[in-house]
Amino acid sequence: MGAMYPCRWRQLGLLIGFLFCGATAYSQRLIQRAETVPAADQWLQPGDRLQVRVQAQPGCQATFFGGKPLLELDPRQAKGQRGVYQGTYVVQPGDTLLSRPITVEVMAPDSTRDTATTRNTVRFLTPDVPQLAVTKGTLAYLNYGLGEDRLGGAKLGYLDSLVVLHLTGRVGNLYRVQLAATQTAWVPQEVVRLLPPGGFIPSSLTGSWSVYGDSLYDYVQVPLDARLPYRSQLLTEPTRLVVDVFGATSNTNWITQRDGLQALGDVHYEQTAPDVFRLVLQLRHEQAWGYRIGYKGNTLAIKIKRPPEKLRLRGLTVAVDAGHGGTNVGATGATGAHEKDITLAIAQRLRQELTQRGAHVVMTRETETTVDNGDRVLRLRQLNPDLLVSIHVNSTGSPSVQGTSTYYRYLAFRPLSVALYEAMRRTGLKGFGNVGSFNFGLNGPTEYPNALVETAFISNAEDEKRLIDPQFQQQVAEQLTKGVEEFLRRTRQRGIRGWLSKKAAEQ
């Protein structure tokens, strides 16, 4: 019997130890959450801020990244929460960190300590070894910043493939791009391919330009040493196309303007910064009809579209886009009506109206099928329409909101949007407005004037009743046709006024 006592004492000791350890472990759970801000994997370079936020027991001392202080916020700064700690560290030259989580430590007043790591990782970039990438695919694009909504981040513009980019940061699936010394943008991870280390930051001197025209377009070509990123803007009053090439410095000694130009007027350049080369292309017509930018080898090539010959529906190529389709149902009304069905019905009626007036109509979809918006843009590039009308149905969480609206992205294409909006108001619908700078995929192309029509609100009972009525759908198609005709008429008038003004100035 006596031999059993040591065993019992050992069991009792183990039990006490277990309870003690368990209590200690419980008391050390001071941290509820630790995260980087933004809460995403990041690449940072010297001068960037590493920001960390911790939710922990109030009244503690907190540190991160090897002893840097985290300060407890006043609850009024933290939406009424207590125990929120924040800290910032500015990355210094020579700092190294290779895609690791950030460790935080919290010590309670009784000296109890707890540590945790952020879920996301951080990498410090070395400026001596630039991280480069090239664009891939046919629809690569840049964003202005990190903002997001259901339409995605605000887009700076499309880029050709194999454009070389200097990456200086990352937040989640977006890379920061250093366009020039004072300008940055962001590019989605899925449209670039990282290059191995050892490359030089892209730059180039410009060569001498060639400006010419053929039977269909006017062209501007500028030789470069590499495919550099660019941004374009189609401006009005006067109508001109402005293209900034980042990383380029002028070595242009002449600009040869050959015979055959019809859309282009005077062209010149400005060196707006040591690493920003600006092309300024004056257009002869008040209404711009589109353009395309890309590369031929390392030569920047800009193709300017000319106005249609007669500015009338007969002979005009009009693209009609029926929004959504297939598995992409779009908005749904109280009666169960789907946006995809209404847009297709209106688009088919619009095609018939336009065709009867002599227009050549191309459709992004003609049946009940799923078509990705990117595929629609690529198809329209091939079809090369003179203009695009995209048809949608609006919806909101407020059933009382109703009315029609039109949308455009580029100021030079606003006249088409205005003409369609005024035509839609003639159906008797209330006006919701004409919206500019609209960040939607079908408004993104620069190759042709385009506008999106949100016919009415399916979330409003009165509007929905109209939208599902075949007679009203026919009325919408007729008015949209008149809207296109009115846009063409006004364009003709502006052209005549511009010609008369020029003649008067010459006299």
Side-chain angles (χ1 to χ4, degrees):
M1 294 288 295
M4 297 180 61
Y5 287 114
C7 182
R8 289 178 177 176
W9 280 113
R10 283 196 300 271
Q11 291 174 341
L12 182 60
L14 290 171
L15 178 60
I16 293 172
F18 173 81
L19 293 173
F20 178 80
C21 292
T24 302
Y26 180 79
S27 67
Q28 287 181 344
R29 276 183 268 174
L30 305 175
I31 302 173
Q32 286 81 54
R33 185 177 69 256
E35 61 184 8
T36 58
V37 180
D41 293 341
Q42 298 181 42
W43 291 359
L44 304 174
Q45 67 173 359
D48 288 338
R49 288 176 171 82
L50 169 61
Q51 300 179 137
V52 173
R53 180 183 295 127
V54 175
Q55 178 73 57
Q57 180 176 303
C60 296
Q61 293 182 358
T63 60
F64 76 111
F65 197 58
K68 308 299 184 297
L70 289 158
L71 302 180
E72 185 174 3
L73 299 182
D74 185 293
R76 289 172 295 183
Q77 298 175 279
K79 300 180 180 179
Q81 287 187 312
R82 299 181 67 233
V84 176
Y85 301 79
Q86 290 188 169
T88 299
Y89 173 71
V90 178
V91 181
Q92 301 298 311
D95 285 345
T96 58
L97 190 63
L98 299 175
S99 297
R100 300 289 299 275
I102 302 300
T103 300
V104 301
E105 184 177 39
V106 171
M107 184 175 69
D110 63 359
S111 297
T112 303
R113 297 176 183 269
D114 192 9
T115 61
T117 57
T118 60
R119 182 181 62 180
N120 298 110
T121 63
V122 177
R123 171 189 170 189
F124 291 164
L125 298 175
T126 304
D128 293 339
V129 185
Q131 176 64 68
L132 305 181
V134 292
T135 55
K136 63 180 183 180
T138 52
L139 292 175
Y141 60 91
L142 295 174
N143 283 351
Y144 282 102
L146 293 172
E148 280 287 334
D149 69 3
R150 66 186 182 86
L151 296 178
K155 293 177 177 56
L156 187 148
Y158 287 108
L159 291 177
D160 201 354
S161 60
L162 300 178
V163 173
V164 185
L165 304 176
H166 176 207
L167 308 184
T168 61
R170 175 189 173 192
V171 175
N173 69 337
L174 291 173
Y175 294 118
R176 183 176 59 198
V177 180
Q178 193 73 41
L179 296 174
T182 60
Q183 297 187 58
T184 60
W186 295 82
V187 64
Q189 188 175 11
E190 63 267 21
V191 301
V192 295
R193 172 173 56 86
L194 298 181
L195 296 179
F200 292 135
I201 294 174
S203 64
S204 176
L205 295 174
T206 66
S208 295
W209 303 16
S210 177
V211 184
Y212 64 96
D214 61 17
S215 60
L216 297 175
Y217 296 92
D218 289 358
Y219 302 87
V220 176
Q221 296 189 349
V222 182
L224 300 171
D225 298 326
R227 292 193 174 203
L228 301 179
Y230 50 83
R231 175 186 61 188
S232 63
Q233 300 179 79
L234 195 53
L235 304 177
T236 59
E237 298 181 355
T239 308
R240 64 203 184 278
L241 174 60
V242 177
V243 181
D244 289 336
V245 186
F246 300 105
T249 304
S250 177
N251 192 37
T252 296
N253 293 311
W254 62 79
I255 300 175
T256 302
Q257 294 187 243
R258 304 185 187 279
D259 296 338
L261 297 176
Q262 296 183 32
L264 280 170
D266 295 330
V267 300
H268 66 280
Y269 70 87
E270 304 167 8
Q271 192 73 49
T272 60
D275 52 0
V276 181
F277 181 80
R278 172 169 291 177
L279 294 77
V280 181
L281 314 180
Q282 302 289 345
L283 303 183
R284 295 184 180 183
H285 307 281
E286 285 197 45
Q287 177 60 57
W289 286 86
Y291 64 96
R292 174 84 181 273
I293 302 178
Y295 279 98
K296 293 182 178 179
N298 289 337
T299 295
L300 184 71
I302 305 171
K303 184 166 67 173
I304 312 296
K305 194 171 186 178
R306 296 170 183 167
E309 186 175 353
K310 294 185 178 180
L311 289 176
R312 300 183 186 279
L313 266 182
R314 181 165 298 279
L316 197 75
T317 299
V318 180
V320 175
D321 171 58
H324 302 275
T327 58
N328 187 355
V329 174
T332 301
T335 67
H338 296 317
E339 178 177 4
K340 66 173 184 176
D341 300 321
I342 295 171
T343 59
L344 183 59
I346 294 174
Q348 289 171 335
R349 293 174 184 274
L350 177 57
R351 175 176 59 181
Q352 183 176 2
E353 290 297 314
L354 291 168
T355 301
Q356 287 177 353
R357 287 164 175 78
H360 173 57
V361 180
V362 295
M363 306 276 284
T364 58
R365 73 177 179 101
E366 302 184 49
T367 60
E368 171 45 25
T369 185
T370 304
V371 185
D372 178 78
N373 281 338
D375 292 335
R376 297 180 197 227
V377 172
L378 294 176
R379 173 171 167 77
L380 289 169
R381 278 186 182 176
Q382 294 176 339
L383 295 172
N384 189 30
D386 293 309
L387 58 86
L388 164 70
V389 179
S390 181
I391 300 170
H392 283 254
V393 169
N394 220 335
S395 180
T396 181
S398 301
S400 61
V401 176
Q402 62 181 135
T404 188
S405 52
T406 55
Y407 299 75
Y408 64 95
R409 179 171 177 186
Y410 307 112
L411 186 61
F413 297 161
R414 182 176 183 272
L416 173 61
S417 180
V418 170
L420 294 174
Y421 180 63
E422 293 172 352
M424 285 298 298
R425 290 296 309 277
R426 291 194 290 269
T427 64
L429 288 167
K430 293 182 179 180
F432 187 72
N434 182 39
V435 181
S437 299
F438 191 55
N439 183 35
F440 179 65
L442 273 294
N443 292 107
T446 61
E447 288 90 343
Y448 41 81
N450 56 76
L452 182 145
V453 181
E454 292 280 7
T455 49
F457 280 86
I458 200 171
S459 51
N460 175 270
E462 184 180 344
D463 277 7
E464 183 188 15
K465 183 178 179 181
R466 290 182 171 185
L467 287 170
I468 60 179
D469 180 359
Q471 291 185 347
F472 181 75
Q473 294 170 0
Q474 178 63 28
Q475 185 184 5
V476 168
E478 292 171 359
Q479 288 301 327
L480 288 177
T481 300
K482 292 179 181 179
V484 174
E485 289 180 319
E486 179 65 15
F487 164 69
L488 296 171
R489 186 188 68 81
R490 292 175 183 176
T491 301
R492 291 197 301 273
Q493 288 184 338
R494 292 206 309 273
I496 293 171
R497 287 198 300 268
W499 183 82
L500 291 174
S501 298
K502 183 177 179 181
K503 283 295 183 183
E506 291 173 352
Q507 295 172 358

